[in-house]
Amino acid sequence: MSETLKEKIIKTLIETQNLKKIDIEKAVFLQKKQKISLDKALIEMGLIQEQDLLMLLVRELNIPFIKLSKYKIDPAYQELIPEKIAKQYNIVPISLLEDTMTIAMSDPLNVFVIDDLKSVTGKEIDVVMSTNSEIRKAIEAYYGFEQTTSMTEITKDIEVDDFEIITNQEEDEDVDSALDQSEKAPIIRMVNLIIKNAIKQRASDIHIEPAADGVRVRYRVDGILRDVLNVPKENQNAILVRIKIMSRLDITASQIPQDGRFKLKVSGKEIDFRVSLLPTTYGQKVVMRVLDKSSLTVGLEGLGFTKSSMQILEGSIKKPFGMILVTGPTGSGKSTTLYSLIQKLNTVDRNIITIEDPVEYLIEGLTQIQARPDIGLTFAEGLRSILRQSPDIVMVGEIRDNETADIAIKASLTGQLVLSTLHTNDTAGTLTRLVDMDVEPFLVASSLVMVSAQRLCRKICVHCKKKSDISKKMIDALKYKFKTDPIFYEGTGCDACRSTGYLGRTGITEILDIDDMVRDMLIRGKSSDDIKAYMCNEKGMITLWENAMEKALAGETTLEEVMRITANE
């Protein structure tokens, strides 16, 4: 009996790659256990490089090997092989000549793929080979957004029923036509596609911005905005109305700012979206904040807090009364930190009330109030009412003025634990900011338990991480006391991080634990610099700059990112 193709390849592997029979047997065992192909098992075990295996298959099967990056693929082939099929089988259409379509694939042993493609396309299938990574990259580029793509082409592969709106409620003359357009399948698919890809790319915000000749769509990923799509101008109103319907907003109001929210079930997972609309020169701009509740359950360590910082935080929230402040600029993760602390305190024996503008995360077990300044429900007025509800813990979204600060501090002195945020650069500056807001220094000193300042910095992509070359001159300019010769890292850019070199973010923190000396310095009118110097020199407080440098030296982030985040420290 003649040997099978698989047996022939295994024999060749043993002969040409110096592999032992036991290694092949282990790979076959892994193949069966994980239900993957033999080539993947061999590569996962490190027995052979993907490139070497491909070249071996090329020799044995006489299939040409190509470099996909050199090919420009005709978009018309998407009609025959949709994105879903391409991703399912990890293939890319290369060319079409009469009744024969040529496809690139990495596993030519999978004959079922070729049979399925014959049925899908109605064409004969010819095969060339390429690497897994090249095919994934080509799929991303080929099925990605084209600036000139029409609405029908963009949305043809998205089902209207892919997304389920959980909370729903059904400009003059254009309103009726825009409403009609917004309920047509291509528009619904378009909005679904924008949201689907935002979730897929881990975006925190979706920006839909009208311009003179189109509508620009951008995603904020790891704190940085990226261009992803340009929608034709004629679809602007329909998309806007569709988002308003989803957010339960007035579709006729176009000259005033509007805020709303909606919840979608995507692939069985519920995701909240906070929507803000702002009138601009070319129409209303939409910003949708993607709110992922799973970030609240990762724990303080998952947010980037060190063990010593977590001990101070956890000790502070155990106090029966007092004020805890989380500070930092917009987008620094203050709300996530506050909610994570509240989650630790959220037990059945506690009455926890929050007043926020807006309410970001809806948490079971909390009483959450939306501030409405337009009807007189400001933070200060809401806080007064909350204190008549016998709360154990109060969370105030932000201290914006003297009145809110004064009521919050007095509440913290009369038996409540108060958590809030403030826009300051560092921890010591928070103390003097409250005094500048005309709160008596002795009240600030008596009420404050702890202040945390934070930033968010991008993490180096683990898939393309490598050592970076930093000159000695630059290292000396840092004026940082290195214990050993420093080694820094960077990301070179790959498919996983979309060629940015960064994947995900982590917190940079500074924790000021209020002690008697700090209280005394505050009452005596000492400056924030004096308080910071005392905390660093006497108490060993780690500043934002030092914490960022520690993370760079640990290989979590780059020196460039440290300078970007803490340039003013």
Side-chain angles (χ1 to χ4, degrees):
M1 184 184 290
S2 61
E3 59 185 355
T4 65
L5 178 62
K6 184 178 280 190
E7 287 170 343
K8 189 177 179 183
I9 288 170
I10 288 173
K11 183 180 176 183
T12 309
L13 280 169
I14 293 171
E15 291 174 355
T16 63
Q17 303 297 317
N18 296 320
L19 297 183
K20 296 176 182 176
K21 192 172 182 181
I22 192 169
D23 292 330
I24 303 292
E25 287 171 356
K26 286 178 181 177
V28 172
F29 176 76
L30 180 67
Q31 175 193 9
K32 290 176 181 175
K33 184 180 176 183
Q34 295 190 4
K35 296 181 179 177
I36 57 177
S37 60
L38 180 60
D39 60 331
K40 284 185 181 176
L42 290 164
I43 293 166
E44 274 192 26
M45 291 180 66
L47 296 173
I48 190 170
Q49 296 295 316
E50 184 183 12
Q51 195 80 12
D52 294 336
L53 181 59
L54 283 172
M55 296 316 295
L56 179 68
L57 292 173
V58 167
R59 284 202 309 271
E60 294 301 323
L61 304 176
N62 296 318
I63 296 175
F65 178 81
I66 67 165
K67 195 160 184 65
L68 269 175
S69 56
K70 294 182 178 179
Y71 282 75
K72 184 172 177 61
I73 306 168
D74 190 338
Y77 304 154
Q78 291 184 25
E79 294 290 338
L80 290 169
I81 299 182
E83 181 181 8
K84 188 175 179 181
I85 297 291
K87 286 185 174 178
Q88 181 181 343
Y89 294 131
N90 202 34
I91 57 102
V92 177
I94 298 294
S95 66
L96 179 63
L97 187 62
E98 295 181 349
D99 289 331
T100 301
M101 171 166 270
T102 303
I103 63 156
M105 63 190 300
S106 61
D107 183 13
L109 297 177
N110 194 342
V111 293
F112 300 110
V113 171
I114 297 168
D115 291 339
D116 286 352
L117 289 175
K118 279 183 182 178
S119 301
V120 169
T121 62
K123 307 287 183 184
E124 291 297 316
I125 302 297
D126 202 4
V127 175
V128 295
M129 289 180 64
S130 190
T131 64
N132 263 314
S133 55
E134 283 242 329
I135 289 173
R136 283 197 302 270
K137 200 169 186 178
I139 289 172
E140 196 69 42
Y142 180 49
Y143 292 97
F145 296 128
E146 291 289 335
Q147 297 294 329
T148 57
T149 306
S150 71
M151 284 290 291
T152 306
E153 289 173 325
I154 289 173
T155 62
K156 71 180 186 305
D157 217 23
I158 302 295
E159 295 299 325
V160 176
D161 296 333
D162 277 356
F163 289 59
E164 175 191 345
I165 303 173
I166 294 174
T167 52
N168 190 13
Q169 175 184 335
E170 290 290 348
E171 341 190 4
D172 359 44
E173 305 179 343
D174 294 334
V175 170
D176 288 338
S177 70
L179 183 56
D180 291 341
Q181 288 292 322
S182 77
E183 292 179 342
K184 289 185 178 178
I187 296 299
I188 295 175
R189 288 185 183 128
M190 180 76 258
V191 175
N192 288 356
L193 182 62
I194 290 170
I195 293 170
K196 174 187 174 184
N197 277 283
I199 295 166
K200 181 180 170 185
Q201 294 185 32
R202 303 175 298 102
S204 60
D205 300 272
I206 304 168
H207 291 241
I208 301 174
E209 305 161 310
D213 55 355
V215 180
R216 180 168 68 162
V217 178
R218 295 191 289 172
Y219 296 155
R220 187 179 295 279
V221 181
D222 294 335
I224 306 297
L225 279 170
R226 302 176 186 171
D227 262 323
V228 292
L229 174 64
N230 202 7
V231 178
K233 187 72 175 175
E234 61 265 25
N235 301 117
Q236 176 178 317
N237 284 345
I239 287 174
L240 184 65
V241 169
R242 173 63 185 164
I243 292 169
K244 284 186 176 183
I245 290 170
M246 294 167 72
S247 311
R248 304 176 67 178
L249 296 174
D250 184 355
I251 63 172
T252 63
S254 59
Q255 301 302 317
I256 57 170
Q258 289 179 278
D259 292 298
R261 65 188 306 132
F262 63 90
K263 186 186 292 184
L264 286 180
K265 184 176 281 187
V266 185
S267 302
K269 180 182 178 183
E270 289 185 8
I271 299 176
D272 290 312
F273 293 83
R274 198 180 79 208
V275 181
S276 173
L277 287 93
L278 188 70
T280 70
T281 308
Y282 296 111
Q284 287 179 284
K285 173 179 175 175
V286 181
V287 175
M288 291 187 276
R289 169 69 59 88
V290 185
L291 301 170
D292 185 3
K293 284 186 184 176
S294 63
S295 63
L296 306 182
T297 59
V298 298
L300 296 172
E301 191 172 10
L303 297 175
F305 286 91
T306 61
K307 285 185 179 179
S308 58
S309 297
M310 285 194 294
Q311 286 173 355
I312 297 171
L313 277 168
E314 289 173 353
S316 298
I317 62 175
K318 287 176 182 175
K319 296 185 183 294
F321 60 87
M323 176 179 275
I324 294 170
L325 288 177
V326 180
T327 71
T330 302
S332 60
K334 299 188 299 295
S335 295
T336 303
T337 299
L338 270 190
Y339 276 110
S340 297
L341 292 173
I342 286 287
Q343 285 280 59
K344 282 182 169 287
L345 295 164
N346 188 11
T347 56
V348 71
D349 59 322
R350 291 188 174 107
N351 179 19
I352 304 175
I353 306 178
T354 76
I355 179 162
E356 307 162 66
D357 185 20
V359 173
E360 292 203 18
Y361 297 95
L362 298 171
I363 309 293
E364 190 176 345
L366 306 187
T367 302
Q368 295 175 271
I369 302 168
Q370 168 78 52
R372 294 279 305 277
D374 55 321
I375 60 169
L377 182 55
T378 60
F379 277 124
E381 284 302 317
L383 194 47
R384 283 195 185 94
S385 301
I386 286 171
L387 296 177
R388 292 193 285 271
Q389 293 280 318
S390 182
D392 297 298
I393 297 162
V394 176
M395 187 181 101
V396 182
E398 184 185 342
I399 292 177
R400 296 176 178 172
D401 52 46
N402 160 261
E403 191 178 12
T404 307
D406 188 57
I407 299 167
I409 283 175
K410 286 175 180 173
S412 71
L413 292 171
T414 55
Q416 281 82 35
L417 183 64
V418 178
L419 291 82
S420 190
T421 69
L422 197 63
H423 286 268
T424 55
N425 289 327
D426 61 6
T427 52
T430 304
L431 309 181
T432 50
R433 171 67 62 84
L434 289 169
V435 174
D436 291 341
M437 293 171 78
D438 294 329
V439 179
E440 292 291 344
F442 75 89
L443 288 176
V444 177
S446 303
S447 64
L448 273 181
V449 172
M450 185 219 73
V451 181
S452 168
Q454 65 183 63
R455 304 285 188 276
L456 286 175
C457 77
R458 292 179 290 172
K459 294 195 293 185
I460 300 170
C461 174
V462 294
H463 303 286
C464 59
K465 180 177 172 180
K466 73 173 186 68
K467 289 181 183 178
S468 59
D469 297 321
I470 306 292
S471 67
K472 189 176 185 303
K473 184 179 179 182
M474 185 172 181
I475 290 173
D476 292 340
L478 292 171
K479 296 179 182 178
Y480 182 84
K481 294 177 182 177
F482 297 105
K483 294 176 183 176
T484 58
D485 289 340
I487 299 174
F488 295 101
Y489 297 85
E490 64 183 355
T492 55
C494 63
D495 293 344
C497 62
R498 296 180 179 269
S499 302
T500 62
Y502 296 98
L503 189 64
R505 288 191 291 176
T506 187
I508 303 297
T509 57
E510 176 182 301
I511 305 284
L512 194 158
D513 193 12
I514 310 292
D515 64 8
D516 291 338
M517 179 57 77
V518 172
R519 292 187 178 95
D520 182 60
M521 293 176 78
L522 193 55
I523 291 169
R524 288 190 286 117
K526 293 290 184 180
S527 70
S528 59
D529 289 338
D530 291 335
I531 294 171
K532 188 169 186 175
Y534 160 75
M535 287 301 299
C536 292
N537 298 331
E538 301 297 327
K539 291 292 184 177
M541 181 177 80
I542 305 295
T543 64
L544 285 165
W545 158 256
E546 289 168 340
N547 186 229
M549 283 299 294
E550 285 174 359
K551 296 205 169 178
L553 289 168
E556 289 184 47
T557 190
T558 62
L559 193 56
E560 180 186 20
E561 190 70 359
V562 169
M563 303 301 290
R564 184 180 76 86
I565 294 297
T566 62
N568 298 323
E569 304 306 322

